[in-house]
Amino acid sequence: MIYGENEAGKSTIMNFILCTLFGYPQKSGLRKWVNGGAEDRLGGSLVFTGDDGQDYRLERVYARNDQPELFIGNSERGSIHKILHGIDRMLYQSVFCFDLDGLSGIEKTKPSDLNDLLLGAGMIGSSELTKLEQSLAKKTGLIFKKGGKNPEMNQLFRKLDQSGTDLRKWERKLDAFHELQQEIAKTRKKIQMLEDERKNVQARFMEWSAFSSVRPLIAGYHVLEEEISSAGKTSSFPENGRSRFSDLEKQIAETEKEMTDLKDEIRFLDEAEAAKPVREKWIRAEGKLSAWFRSAARDDQDLREIDRLGKELAAGQAAYEAMAERLGTEWSPGKILKASVDLSFIRQLREKTEIWMKLVSEEKNAENALSVQHASVVQLEQRLKQLTGLRNEVDVNSLRTVRRTTPEQKENPFSLLLVFVSVLLMTILFTAFSALLFTFYAALPVLALGLTLTAFYGWAALRSHQQGQKTGINEADHRRAAEASLTEEQLSGAKREYEQKMRMREHCKDQLEGFEHQLKEWMRENGYAIDNVGLAEETARLVGDARALLSRLDGMGTELEARRADHDQFISEKQQLTEELSLPDGDTSYIEQQFNMEKEKAADLHALKSKRDVYRRQEKRLNQKLYRLNEEQHSLFEQAEVENRLQFLEKADHFERLSSLLEKRDERWLQMIEISGGEDKLKHFSGDLDHGIWEGVDENDFKNSLSELDGKIKEARDRLTEEQAEGRNMEESDTYRDALDNYQQLLTAANSKSREWAVYRTAQWAIDRAKDQYRRQRLPGILNRARDYFENITSGEYVSLQLDQAGGFIAGRNDGRHFSADELSRGTAEQLYLSLRLALAERICPGEKLPLIIDEGLVNFDVRRTDRVLSLLKEVSQERQVILFTCQPSVLKCASSESVITLSKAFR
């Protein structure tokens, strides 16, 4: 089901399917969809699956409307006409594809037209049968119609009657005319005899002219025959003997000259070869010398490497001695090689060194904190000594009593104590934050600094208070006593804290000493005996560098020994080759230069030998060629049956003269045949010449005979002209011959049209017989099937269906009443026509079960019959595809969501 509102494109899709299957209409039929001039852009494709299970794709464009392309599978191609099996657009729209107008038009169709449509669709699967019947009826009506005036045969019959009347008038005038015609015939016969006689005389004259032309040639031919006979016959002579003999003599002379030149070249090459001596020992030892020359290049490189390695070895030894001096005398090469320098050791050493440095830092921090705390204790002791010296004159106890009993002095000590406590609390808070954010040891300096500031603030405040106080001496003494008491308390706390920091410093020192001892033991286990832990990492680095340098020095020493051994081997090879090949004095490059010169001389000598070998082979081929040419010349002598050159030339002259005569004779023979007109004519002329048939005959005899015959022929023709003029005078303007010809033409045309009319009537009779036979055999089955569909749709209300030739379809209701198609309601008539279409679709099986396409065909059905039609279409869809276009949402309720396609107006 394809659902869409009005103008969503449903009718456009249906027309696209029809156009793709059966072709596009004319331009006038496309105005609904495209503007003028845009038709060439129309086209598209349909993809479908056939009953054979294969996938098909049909493509059609308006520009090539009559050439659609059908693709089968991936690459194969086919014809859509073979798949449709003759089904045309008319039948498809009558049976398989219809809209509301197609269903509603049943009551407007004449019974005879409806019957013809049903019969034509069921019999041959198209509308061609109906078209053929209409065409035959039209053609027979144009040829003959009883009582008609315009048909062709009716007009011919009237013209034949008139022409017969005219002929009967002329029959009475024929007697005299016939006699004159007999005289005209005699005169024509005499003229013909005279012309035949003239042709014979003319032919003899032409024959005599040809004989006169060929007679001298025949005489010359006989002369040539006599010369050939007198020359006598010659024995067989080779074809083209003289030219072949001349060619052989020329080739023999050229070959002998080439052999002479080759011998001179070979002699020159022998002399040049003798003038170039070569040291064969050197050439044979080319491989050894080439290897020695390559060894010389390597030896030069070895010498440079020996010098370089010696310098690098000395520099490396000096660098090692510098490293050994930095390491100390206890680090021997063996100890350096035994010490660990691998990555694992270096990584562990770095980790342990970092731990040691951390412990050293902690120990220094503890020492610094202890120093700060010691300074604080010393400061408090000094302050306490100052206060103690002043307190000898004042009784501390009486001062406390005064402080408790004097109202004016009660507020100031309390405020000083509050400020002092606030500063002390802030110092403790900052110390705690430092310990949490950093380390415990980092908080110690903060605490010491805070206590110092607190003490200083207290002392400064007290001092300020003493300076600002303008009371008596007793009040100042009381303050000093209070400050001394407070200082004693602070000193006691500072000493306790100093002892705590002292213990902390000792703990850090013990940890550092223990870790240093462990680190030294671990270093000793890995081959390092060190006293200063801080130099452990540097010592390990120096040992690693020294070890790498020792390995490098060892490798350079090994390579230096190998290079020296290669150089000694090269010197030994040079001495051996000098003794073996007697090499000259000089360096390797000079010896190689001399060897290359010997090689060049050897190459030149080899080239000379190769060239001489080529010349030898050429000399051999020339000897063979000369022998072959002499053999061919001897063979010519044997064919000519002569013994020497002079006899051969004489026989060649005789043969050429005889050949010339024969050639002239043959040319003369061809000329005689050409002039005489053939070999038979030539033989005839030769016989005439031998028997003297044309003796005494000349050209004047023939001219006189021809002139006499021309006079007789002229006289006969003049008489014929007079007789023909008399015959024409007897005729009227409308001659008897014209009337007779007209009558014969009319009679012939009437016979032809009668035969044509009989053929068309026979075809109509055959179609009527076929339709009657189809009605009797197949039409009942279609009507029964349509009745079943109609009964199903109407829920059994209509139980019979008949086809009347005059009245069309007649439906029988279950109450016994019968109604013609035009008496049914519109909806019921459309249901009847739908039943007929479904029945026809079942019977028409062209090889493919074509899909049913319905566009808004159920609009006039009530709800109950709509449901039954939809159920029926669902059953039909089990066998063939059914496509239903609708704009009614209520129709979609019986379909699954997978089988519904919804269009929007944007589809247009």
Side-chain angles (χ1 to χ4, degrees), residues 24-46:
Y24 291 93
Q26 298 298 325
K27 289 186 178 180
S28 59
L30 296 173
R31 293 174 181 172
K32 181 178 179 181
W33 290 280
V34 295
N35 297 324
E39 296 84 2
D40 291 339
R41 296 185 299 167
L42 289 180
S45 64
L46 290 177

Side-chain angles (χ1 to χ4, degrees), residues 114-127:
L114 194 58
N115 295 344
D116 291 340
L117 173 62
L118 179 60
L119 291 171
M123 288 176 66
I124 64 175
S126 66
S127 61

Side-chain angles (χ1 to χ4, degrees), residues 357-367 441 508 511:
M357 292 177 65
K358 183 177 179 181
L359 292 175
V360 169
S361 177
E362 290 177 356
E363 195 268 340
K364 287 183 177 179
N365 290 335
E367 183 69 29
Y441 298 104
C508 292
Q511 281 186 335

Side-chain angles (χ1 to χ4, degrees), residues 375-419:
S376 179
V377 170
V378 171
Q379 185 179 8
L380 289 173
E381 287 179 347
Q382 291 177 355
R383 178 58 181 166
L384 184 59
K385 287 180 180 179
Q386 293 176 359
L387 293 174
T388 303
L390 295 174
R391 198 175 53 180
N392 293 328
E393 299 176 358
V394 181
D395 185 21
V396 176
N397 293 327
S398 61
L399 181 59
R400 291 177 180 174
T401 303
V402 173
R403 289 173 62 189
R404 288 194 300 264
T405 55
T406 305
E408 294 80 2
Q409 298 175 355
K410 197 171 184 179
E411 292 181 1
N412 292 333
F414 177 77
S415 60
L416 291 174
L417 181 61
L418 181 60
V419 172

Side-chain angles (χ1 to χ4, degrees), residues 797-866:
E797 185 173 354
Y798 289 89
V799 296
S800 66
L801 183 63
Q802 298 175 357
L803 177 63
D804 183 67
Q805 183 65 22
F809 291 102
I810 299 176
R813 207 162 60 181
N814 55 9
D815 58 0
R817 298 183 62 185
H818 292 79
F819 302 91
S820 62
D822 56 356
E823 293 176 339
L824 298 173
S825 67
R826 179 172 181 177
T828 305
E830 291 176 358
Q831 293 156 16
L832 171 61
Y833 199 26
L834 175 62
S835 301
L836 288 171
R837 287 176 182 262
L838 295 177
L840 279 174
E842 287 186 1
R843 298 297 179 182
I844 299 174
C845 297
E848 291 288 339
K849 292 183 179 179
L850 300 176
L852 286 174
I853 303 176
I854 306 173
D855 184 14
E856 300 292 359
L858 313 180
V859 175
N860 296 318
F861 297 178
D862 57 32
V863 176
R864 181 171 56 86
R865 291 188 180 183
T866 299

Side-chain angles (χ1 to χ4, degrees), residues 247-248 251-252 255 620-636:
D247 291 341
L248 287 173
Q251 292 181 25
I252 289 172
T255 304
K620 185 177 179 181
R621 285 196 296 271
L622 289 175
N623 281 326
Q624 294 174 353
K625 181 179 179 181
L626 185 61
Y627 177 77
R628 178 176 55 78
L629 293 174
N630 289 326
E631 287 294 323
E632 290 181 5
Q633 190 180 56
H634 183 67
S635 175
L636 277 179

Side-chain angles (χ1 to χ4, degrees), residues 341-358:
V341 292
D342 55 3
L343 293 177
S344 176
F345 170 77
I346 298 299
R347 185 177 65 254
Q348 293 181 23
L349 177 60
R350 186 176 295 111
E351 292 175 355
K352 293 179 180 294
T353 302
E354 290 177 355
I355 295 173
W356 175 78
M357 292 177 65
K358 183 177 179 181

